[in-house]
Amino acid sequence: MSWKVFIDGEAGTTGLQIRDRLSGRDDVSLIQIDPSARKSLSARLAAYREADIAILCLPDGAAREIVGQTGDLDVRLIDASTAHRVHPDWVFGFPELGEERRERIRNARLLSNPGCYSTGAIALLNPLVEAGIILPDTFLSIHAVSGYSGGGRDLIAEFEAGRTAPFFSYSLDQKHKHLPEIMALGGLTVQPAFSPSVGAFAQGMIVQIPLPLHRGQGLDALKRALEDRYDNASFVRVVPAELYGGRIDPTGLNGTNVLELSVHGDERSGCAVLVALLDNLGKGASGAAVQNLNIMLGVDEAESLRDCRPLATTAPGSPLPGC
């Protein structure tokens, strides 16, 4: 059968990439409205009524508004905004957190897609907190750099017109909108210090968490805990630090739905750095939405998603196998 999917906000960065991933599928029929009617509430509600699943690629306020308008409709929702990520009525769409989470996604009517920074941070933190290696009340710092596409149209225009610095930090007031989901799904009871930044590249992302080594936990224990969690994950790979040759390219997984995790550091100094590498528009946004959609439809969760499988033997700087 063909499932009817409506992307509300398909003209934006995330919406366009979701549409591109779904175009050409025999099992999905995209509902589209005339571009001149994209802001028409009546036209949008008609599309929601027709759809089996709607994907919201909207600002937070607009997402909350349309959810209020569609509560009595027989349509399942995937919200790519921040609006509902810690809402108790919504399922957080990170299937790699476990089979119980994947089952909840499969049956969800209301699903919130994770954010890009939080995807990397949660993937690193959740297994280590559950394993008791990181205590929930540990004060941590998280440092990250993203491609400018994560800032939406205005920031994209600034970079492409050369009107902004090639690198800047922002949101240092510790009010970044991803912090609540990082704490809730990462298992933390103390808010971490978060330092996000933007670089002069369109897409790609690195999330780093410095971690002191103590209580008998070494680098191998950190890596084993991550490997145990993601051993059978479709898109999350735990890779050796040596894979990167001392330098990690934030654009290295662009165009894929892959999330790479690695453990770096020196046991003699007692310092480790946990690293997550991903495409902020792939596993950090559009790719994750399509993965969740696939699970909700009961099809192969890798359908429409480019799966490049990095290998430990890949030479730094060389193309990844399958790309």
Side-chain angles (χ1 to χ4, degrees):
M1 67 176 292
S2 180
W3 300 93
K4 295 181 179 180
V5 175
F6 173 51
I7 305 170
D8 194 358
E10 72 164 22
T13 305
T14 300
L16 285 171
Q17 292 222 355
I18 293 173
R19 187 188 69 186
D20 289 346
R21 285 168 167 84
L22 296 178
S23 295
R25 279 179 56 165
D26 295 333
D27 63 335
V28 170
S29 175
L30 292 177
I31 299 169
Q32 294 180 289
I33 58 180
D34 188 278
S36 63
R38 283 180 182 152
K39 295 186 178 181
S40 165
L41 180 59
S42 61
R44 292 165 63 210
L45 287 176
Y48 276 93
R49 290 188 190 96
E50 185 182 352
D52 296 299
I53 296 182
I55 305 175
L56 284 59
C57 301
L58 304 168
D60 287 6
R64 293 188 185 98
E65 181 180 354
I66 199 64
V67 168
Q69 297 279 348
T70 58
D72 60 344
L73 302 182
D74 186 21
V75 59
R76 303 169 77 185
L77 304 180
I78 298 174
D79 184 7
S81 81
T82 315
H84 300 101
R85 289 186 182 151
V86 293
H87 194 291
D89 294 339
W90 289 68
V91 176
F92 191 80
F94 200 151
E96 289 85 3
L97 292 184
E99 283 308 310
E100 187 271 341
R101 174 76 49 176
R102 182 174 273 100
E103 188 64 21
R104 290 182 64 197
I105 293 169
R106 184 175 292 113
N107 297 317
R109 192 186 82 79
L110 302 174
L111 184 132
S112 183
N113 211 51
C116 51
Y117 289 124
S118 58
T119 293
I122 292 167
L124 292 166
L125 290 170
N126 183 277
L128 299 179
V129 171
E130 288 201 355
I133 296 175
I134 296 177
L135 298 180
D137 61 354
T138 302
F139 177 71
L140 299 170
S141 60
I142 301 173
H143 310 275
V145 60
S146 172
Y148 57 77
S149 58
R153 288 182 176 179
D154 290 345
L155 188 59
I156 292 171
E158 283 186 44
F159 268 95
E160 293 185 347
R163 297 197 304 269
T164 190
F167 180 94
F168 63 84
S169 296
Y170 73 104
S171 199
L172 300 180
D173 60 358
Q174 301 308 302
K175 297 178 182 178
H176 194 280
K177 61 184 181 178
H178 289 184
L179 276 167
E181 65 195 91
I182 289 174
M183 290 187 64
L185 281 299
L188 301 179
T189 58
V190 173
Q191 179 173 309
F194 183 36
S195 302
S197 55
V198 175
F201 50 94
Q203 63 192 88
M205 173 173 285
I206 294 175
V207 178
Q208 301 178 101
I209 304 178
L211 192 69
L213 297 172
H214 57 85
R215 301 169 62 241
Q217 302 291 356
L219 299 175
D220 287 343
L222 296 172
K223 187 177 179 184
R224 279 197 304 274
L226 295 174
E227 289 172 338
D228 289 345
R229 166 61 61 82
Y230 302 113
D231 183 47
N232 296 313
S234 298
F235 294 106
V236 182
R237 328 274 194 231
V238 181
V239 301
E242 296 77 20
L243 173 68
Y244 302 110
R247 293 184 179 183
I248 303 178
D249 177 1
T251 69
L253 292 175
N254 282 3
T256 81
N257 197 52
V258 174
L259 169 62
E260 279 185 0
L261 308 178
S262 52
V263 178
H264 307 253
D266 177 65
E267 293 190 355
R268 292 172 298 177
S269 69
C271 298
V273 180
L274 310 174
V275 177
L277 172 66
L278 65 155
D279 181 352
N280 65 296
L281 297 182
K283 186 61 171 166
S286 305
V290 172
Q291 182 182 356
N292 283 317
L293 173 71
N294 289 336
I295 295 171
M296 293 169 75
L297 295 180
V299 302
D300 182 352
E301 69 183 81
E303 189 69 35
S304 303
L305 298 172
R306 186 180 178 195
D307 183 2
C308 298
R309 189 175 298 275
L311 301 176
T313 55
T314 302
S318 65
L320 296 175
C323 293

